[in-house]
Amino acid sequence: MTNSTQAEQRPAFELRCGGLHLTVQRVPGWLVAALATATGSGLAAWFTSR
């Protein structure tokens, strides 16, 4: 395996829309956990209200 530098790594998320160019290099673990918790809570509330 070769060691790659920061410049060679691909971004985790890249959004190009017209003149907007958004690049996220690394997604923090706390953000993934927060999104998973919010999604789970939302789905639980939706399923129990039906």
Side-chain angles (χ1 to χ4, degrees):
M1 278 207 267
T2 62
N3 290 336
S4 58
T5 62
Q6 289 284 42
E8 295 173 3
Q9 291 181 355
R10 295 180 62 199
F13 177 76
E14 186 172 8
L15 174 67
R16 293 181 185 205
C17 183
L20 176 69
H21 185 198
L22 176 68
T23 304
V24 176
Q25 293 295 332
R26 189 174 79 83
V27 180
W30 63 266
L31 181 59
V32 173
L35 288 174
T37 302
T39 302
S41 297
L43 286 174
W46 183 57
F47 282 130
T48 57
S49 68
R50 297 184 81 179

